[in-house]
Amino acid sequence: GVQQQQQQQQRPAVLVIDGGRTTDTVVANLADASNGHTRAVDLLAVGQPGALAALRAAAELRSDNGQVPAFTLDHVEAKDVESHAREGFRVRGNHNYRLAVPSRAAWQTAPPSSRPGEEKLLVGTQTEVQKLAKAMAARVRVLPEGGALPIEVALGGGEDRKRHRIARMAMAIARAYGWQVRPNDPTLPSRPFHLTAAIVEGPELGPQATDAAASGATSGGEATPS
């Protein structure tokens, strides 16, 4: 009875996002699944459409006092997605992600969208995933505790190009995160990190970019500087 209910409360709720719903609907579904953000939620994003929808929803989450969720983004196996999806749902492709969104009690003050003279990583249509992942890992490794690394991707242009850019960013983030939490050599220091997401207005990425999603990769509490 009570003990089983408590265990369910401690386990994250799960929401499968395949890109077939509007951002507002995903945000509402997330609030319902988390009991008003009192419970952690794993967003299982399926493919490029799911990654875009999940990250846009995460960027909309903000508490009344301006706090935002610091979440992780990792790869998830197709069979794990299917085990939580509606009957008959099949996942095609390997680019699926788990966004682990904490309960509101663990949300953090939103970082400023930009800081003077700050270095950013920009994601474009031609960005190479491996190079971006390595650049992220190298910069996160030397961040001070609580420091942030902005990653910007333009949300202008056609839907396909937008999804393609978001997919490249998601692949790189998941790869860099995987290197930290599943290192080939566990004796070497690692630097797990969390993300915050925001939609920011800005022409600085070119005339096609009417807005951009800036995800600050913030070092996690267990981060160990190398």
Side-chain angles (χ1 to χ4, degrees):
V2 175
Q3 189 174 8
Q4 187 177 19
Q5 196 172 19
Q6 285 176 339
Q7 286 175 342
Q8 285 179 338
Q9 281 291 327
Q10 287 167 358
R11 280 200 300 267
V14 178
L15 194 59
V16 176
I17 310 293
D18 62 2
R21 288 169 281 187
T22 66
T23 302
D24 287 347
T25 302
V26 175
V27 170
N29 293 158
L30 212 164
D32 289 343
S34 63
N35 297 330
H37 304 294
T38 59
R39 180 180 176 188
V41 180
D42 283 352
L43 298 181
L44 305 185
V46 181
Q48 291 185 6
L52 176 57
L55 284 167
R56 291 197 88 153
E60 295 290 333
L61 298 179
R62 186 174 289 261
S63 68
D64 292 339
N65 59 356
Q67 292 191 313
V68 296
F71 57 94
T72 58
L73 192 158
D74 200 359
H75 286 290
V76 65
E77 296 287 336
K79 66 179 188 298
D80 293 332
V81 178
E82 290 174 354
S83 70
H84 291 285
R86 62 185 178 274
E87 191 174 347
F89 184 90
R90 288 292 170 264
V91 176
R92 295 172 180 82
N94 300 317
H95 300 305
N96 310 296
Y97 307 98
R98 183 193 308 274
L99 281 73
V101 180
S103 67
R104 190 167 49 206
W107 290 10
Q108 302 175 3
T109 302
S113 57
S114 64
R115 303 167 184 82
E118 182 176 54
E119 185 181 12
K120 300 175 183 177
L121 293 178
L122 302 181
V123 184
T125 310
Q126 304 300 321
T127 298
E128 293 183 33
V129 172
Q130 183 74 355
K131 285 184 178 178
L132 178 59
K134 285 184 173 180
M136 285 183 55
R139 285 163 175 76
V140 166
R141 197 173 297 127
V142 296
L143 280 177
E145 191 68 30
L149 169 67
I151 307 162
E152 289 192 356
V153 55
L155 292 180
E159 193 68 20
D160 285 348
R161 291 171 69 83
K162 187 190 307 182
R163 288 203 305 234
H164 185 68
R165 289 191 294 265
I166 288 287
R168 284 177 177 271
M169 182 180 72
M171 277 190 271
I173 290 172
R175 193 171 295 179
Y177 183 76
W179 292 337
Q180 309 308 314
V181 296
R182 293 179 296 276
N184 288 331
D185 184 351
T187 64
L188 293 175
S190 62
R191 200 84 196 262
F193 55 86
H194 291 78
L195 304 162
T196 60
I199 307 293
V200 295
E201 297 292 331
E204 67 275 5
L205 296 184
Q208 294 298 315
T210 53
D211 56 1
S215 301
T218 308
S219 56
E222 315 114 29
T224 310
S226 58

